[in-house]
Each structure stands twice: as structure tokens, then as C-alpha cells.
Amino acid sequence: MHIASPLHNSLSPSLAFLLLLCLISSLISKMGRPPCCDKSNVKRGLWTPEEDAKILAYVANHGTGNWTLVPKKAGLNRCGKSCRLRWTNYLRPDLKHDGFTPQEEDLIINLHGAIGSRWSLIAKRLPGRTDNDVKNYWNTKLRKKLMKMGIDPVTHKPVSQVLSDLGSISGLPNTTNQMAFINKDLMMSNMPPTKTEPSDSNKSMVEHTQEGQVHSWEHHIPYQVIINSENVQPQVLSEAASSTSSSSSSNLTQLGSPQSYSCQTPQAQISPPCSSFDWSEFLHSDSFNWSLNPPSGLMQSEAELSDNTKSNGHDMQGAASEGSGSGSGAVACGASMEYQINKQCEAHSFVDGILDRDSEIRAAFPQLLDASFDY
DNA sequence: AATATCCGCAACCGCTCCGAC
DNA sequence: CGTCGGAGCGGTTGCGGATAT
């Protein structure tokens, strides 16, 4: 004896499915933004030549833009976002697919030291390269190269300086006005855990596994250990911190790295107080062409530059636009860093300059280094 | 020769920004 | 002013080839 409810009788399977869809979409809208496409029904993974041809044909006929419609119009079972990435990172006709030149390599290192992991900004200085290219090249080659040479790829400081800064935190005489950054890779690769006995204050941060490996650094040590508020203006700090979703390490590196290039005493490293600094302006300035004699192709057109400034204006344009005085401050700061960077570039390569700085620190603080670290 | 490990790169993911409505 | 969707960004993952054992 089955008594069917009226609802059960009237609800066809297709209607039930629609209601379910409505319920799900309603739930999704409450939870947050729905995905850009139905990932379960689109192809993922490597692209075939046929798919590439469809994208190329579509772009040739319609141009780029409105990528969500591209899969449908081009006859592709792909997410629009995936199509856009395929185009921008691989299919664009202006892309270079050959290896990076030494000039490009130097430029990436210099720019990374100055602005951190702003791959898109760096890539804009390298015609034919995408942010993905630059990022991959950095992660696979340049980072390791710098580490091998004893340079912390995060701070672009010599390892000895980073470690001495770490020693300062852990109870050794503290050299204020310094910015110290802890890089996990650096720790893992340059700090033999069995050799270094952490001080009491450090023991809580350093944990040795049974195999003698250090772990959990990132959970215990803030990347930014010391920031002198007199030298780093809160506005710059907050702008840098809020400008991107990238990690705090990269944001803070932007602030610290240019200063660390200077071949001066630790105290003198710190630039005069800046009301703000315009990274975009700095990058666009002639002084940022370095002494690499970059090929003319490395230069960016004015249109691109202004677009660049616009797209990054919220985080790169500081008080320069807010008042005449602060504008000159930005210029002054830019000039200061330009001087430091150019000074270094004039005499040596980037790496040479850092190694020189390393030697100076070793000479200035032999006891400090010898007593704290043996590497 | 077979297997394990490493490495580089393409692609994906999640987030933010920004303009249109 | 808030919402929506496109676009861009940086970080991460996974695959496939290269190299080591």
C-alpha cells in the first residue's frame, strides 16, 4: 500500500533536478563566488595542437578579450580562464621560447632584489617573457644559483649577514636599524642544524627532528624581524603589505632589499626617511636600466609604462600624488636607491657587490660571525 | 636495463582588483 | 553603494623528460 504525496506525483525527475540546481547555486552564492566554469565538464591538463590551433584561429578572427566566451565560440571544452592562460603564456606570437640570456638573468635578479616577486612587473621589462616564464626561471634556476653563491634569494643579502641578523635576534648584541629576514630555504640549505646550538630564546623556535633536520621555522619566526619605524614609513609599509596577495616575505623584501645593496655601514644602509616611494616611477626611471647595457628591446614603451603605473597605482603610487612635498620625498628616496644600486653596478656585477658587502661585514664583525656560526 | 630521484615547465588554483551595471 | 564578472597576479601542483643509482 503506497500512498504517494501530491508533491511526489507532480515532481518530474527533470524538475527535481532543476530545483536541486537552484538549491546548489543558492548555497554556492551564500558560500562565496561560484567557480568560473564547471570544472567537472571541462578538459584540463596539457593542450593539444588542435586546441592550440582553435585558440589561434579564434584570436586571429576576434582578437582577445571576453575569455569566458572563447571556449564556446572556438569550439573548445576548456575553461575560459584556461584559454586565456594558454594564450598569454604560450601562444602569443610575441613570446620568446628560447633560453634566458645573461642580460635577462641579471635584470631579473636586480629587479627581484628591488621589488620582490612582482613577476608581472619584472616580465614587463623583459619583452617576449611572461610572468610565468620569469617566475619559473627564478624558482628553478636563479634562486638556486644565488643560494649556491651564498646569497639569500629572498633578501638578496649575503648569507652571513642574514645569519648574523638572526644571531642578533637570538640574544647577541642587537644592531638596530637593520632589517632581518628569515628565509626557510636559506635555513635549510645553509644552517647545519647539528652544528648550531640555538640559544634559549632560539630553542623555542628551532625544532630538531630525530633526523636532525630543522623544521617549523615558518611557523615560529616572523619574516620581518626588525623594522625601524623611523626609516620605514607606515604608509609605505601598509601599501606594500596590502598591495598584493603575495607573501609577507616578498612584500617586506621590497622595502628592505634596495637598502641592503648599499656598500655602506649597517647604519648608513638605511636611506633617509622617505614619505613614500614610487616603485613604478623607480622602475621606469632611466637609472633602473642598470649598467647592463640592456638591449633596446628591454626598454618599455611609454604607453606600457603609463599603463603599468595605472594598473599598479594603488600600491605603487604613494604620497607623490598627494602633495608636492611628499613627491619630492619619493624622488629623493628613489635617487638614494638609484645611487646605491648604480654605485654598485658601476664597479661590479650585482653578485660581486653583495659579496663585497659580505666581506665588509665579516671584517667589521669577526667575533660576531665566528662566535655564532660555523658554516 | 630497470628503477628511483631530480628537475623544468605548463597548467591550475585561489585570491584580489577593477570596471560595468 | 553593492554586486557581478572579467582579468590579472603570485603561489603551488603535477606531469614528463633527464639523470643518477
Side-chain angles (χ1 to χ4, degrees):
Chain A
M1 297 287 277
H2 175 68
I3 303 173
S5 71
L7 179 63
H8 187 269
N9 282 336
S10 61
L11 201 62
S12 68
S14 58
L15 188 56
F17 181 67
L18 281 176
L19 284 172
L20 186 62
L21 279 181
C22 290
L23 181 64
I24 290 172
S25 65
S26 170
L27 284 172
I28 287 174
S29 68
K30 284 185 170 62
M31 287 189 295
R33 193 174 184 177
C36 60
C37 55
D38 183 2
K39 289 186 168 52
S40 62
N41 287 332
V42 296
K43 188 186 172 197
R44 296 167 67 185
L46 294 179
W47 283 69
T48 64
E50 290 76 22
E51 289 176 313
D52 285 346
K54 286 180 180 178
I55 292 279
L56 286 168
Y58 176 86
V59 172
N61 288 329
H62 303 90
T64 57
N66 206 357
W67 286 102
T68 48
L69 295 176
V70 170
K72 194 177 177 182
K73 290 187 174 178
L76 286 162
N77 186 26
R78 290 273 187 175
C79 178
K81 186 175 176 178
S82 182
C83 295
R84 179 174 58 81
L85 283 173
R86 183 62 178 171
W87 169 259
T88 55
N89 286 337
Y90 195 80
L91 296 175
R92 262 168 46 201
D94 58 321
L95 291 181
K96 283 194 268 184
H97 294 288
D98 49 348
F100 281 75
T101 66
Q103 286 81 13
E104 288 177 313
E105 201 171 282
D106 282 347
L107 192 58
I108 293 170
I109 293 173
N110 285 325
L111 287 167
H112 185 273
I115 64 173
S117 53
R118 302 284 188 90
W119 304 120
S120 59
L121 279 177
I122 295 173
K124 281 174 182 167
R125 283 261 156 180
L126 297 164
R129 307 295 186 188
T130 68
D131 55 348
N132 212 35
D133 286 337
V134 176
K135 181 174 57 181
N136 282 332
Y137 190 65
W138 173 265
N139 285 331
T140 57
K141 296 271 179 63
L142 295 181
R143 201 164 58 96
K144 292 170 186 171
K145 187 177 176 182
L146 288 183
M147 284 165 68
K148 231 174 191 176
M149 300 175 83
I151 297 166
D152 175 22
V154 173
T155 63
H156 289 246
K157 289 180 180 180
V159 169
S160 60
Q161 186 182 348
V162 176
L163 293 181
S164 69
D165 288 346
L166 173 65
S168 301
I169 317 160
S170 62
L172 289 165
N174 195 354
T175 55
T176 55
N177 290 349
Q178 286 190 25
M179 299 170 74
F181 305 90
I182 310 302
N183 174 11
K184 186 178 70 174
D185 290 336
L186 177 68
M187 291 303 150
M188 301 301 260
S189 63
N190 292 293
M191 196 179 205
T194 53
K195 278 193 170 185
T196 305
E197 274 299 317
S199 65
D200 285 342
S201 60
N202 237 2
K203 278 177 182 170
S204 62
M205 297 188 285
V206 181
E207 295 178 10
H208 294 270
T209 64
Q210 288 185 335
E211 294 78 24
Q213 291 180 323
V214 181
H215 69 100
S216 299
W217 280 92
E218 70 272 34
H219 300 304
H220 298 295
I221 304 177
Y223 280 97
Q224 178 190 2
V225 181
I226 300 168
I227 279 194
N228 186 333
S229 59
E230 292 175 9
N231 297 307
V232 179
Q233 291 298 306
Q235 183 186 3
V236 181
L237 201 61
S238 62
E239 283 177 359
S242 62
S243 65
T244 173
S245 61
S246 61
S247 70
S248 58
S249 60
S250 60
N251 288 332
L252 296 166
T253 300
Q254 297 159 20
L255 298 170
S257 295
Q259 297 168 348
S260 69
Y261 292 155
S262 168
C263 297
Q264 300 170 8
T265 63
Q267 285 76 18
Q269 279 182 53
I270 306 300
S271 301
C274 305
S275 57
S276 73
F277 178 68
D278 187 337
W279 280 112
S280 186
E281 188 177 307
F282 175 60
L283 287 174
H284 300 159
S285 67
D286 290 341
S287 59
F288 205 72
N289 293 329
W290 313 94
S291 58
L292 302 170
N293 298 320
S296 57
L298 291 180
M299 295 306 297
Q300 199 172 13
S301 73
E302 283 304 315
E304 288 172 316
L305 296 182
S306 61
D307 179 57
N308 187 14
T309 303
K310 180 188 156 208
S311 65
N312 294 283
H314 64 282
D315 59 332
M316 293 205 149
Q317 288 184 322
S321 60
E322 294 172 332
S324 57
S326 52
S328 61
V331 171
C333 273
S336 172
M337 275 183 283
E338 286 163 17
Y339 169 74
Q340 292 170 6
I341 295 166
N342 285 333
K343 181 184 170 190
Q344 176 196 319
C345 290
E346 280 169 13
H348 318 286
S349 72
F350 171 81
V351 170
D352 289 338
I354 285 191
L355 293 175
D356 285 351
R357 174 90 183 102
D358 188 25
S359 301
E360 286 181 18
I361 288 178
R362 285 170 180 277
F365 306 103
Q367 304 88 349
L368 179 69
L369 291 173
D370 292 344
S372 306
F373 305 102
D374 180 21
Y375 66 96

